[in-house]
Amino acid sequence: KELDSIIVVVSGDMDGDGYVTNRDASRISRYLVDKESPTEVQICAMDVNGDGYVNNRDASVVSRYLVGKESI
């Protein structure tokens, strides 16, 4: 019987594998053009700048992170 559960969300890690990769950046872009239907947890992971919205700014932060120009 489960009493409590904790979900750990890694900012930028949309696929939940523990790493932020090109696959995550791609999935954010797909979401922005309505080609992806993420869960609530995935939406939390996609809002990397913490402004409460998932938009092109979040995709940009992830892309910049992947080339070492941004931290998450």
Side-chain angles (χ1 to χ4, degrees):
K1 182 175 177 179
E2 184 176 311
L3 298 176
D4 291 314
S5 65
I6 296 173
I7 297 172
V8 176
V9 177
V10 176
S11 186
D13 178 24
M14 189 177 165
D15 61 12
D17 66 356
Y19 302 97
V20 179
T21 63
N22 287 326
R23 183 178 307 169
D24 299 303
S26 173
R27 290 184 74 181
I28 292 172
S29 296
R30 288 177 50 82
Y31 168 74
L32 294 175
V33 296
D34 295 324
K35 299 285 186 187
E36 188 85 28
S37 299
T39 66
E40 188 175 327
V41 172
Q42 289 172 318
I43 289 173
C44 285
M46 286 191 294
D47 182 20
V48 294
N49 65 1
D51 66 357
Y53 303 97
V54 176
N55 52 37
N56 61 334
R57 291 179 184 149
D58 299 298
S60 176
V61 170
V62 171
S63 295
R64 291 176 53 78
Y65 169 79
L66 291 172
V67 296
K69 300 267 185 193
E70 187 91 38
S71 62
I72 295 181

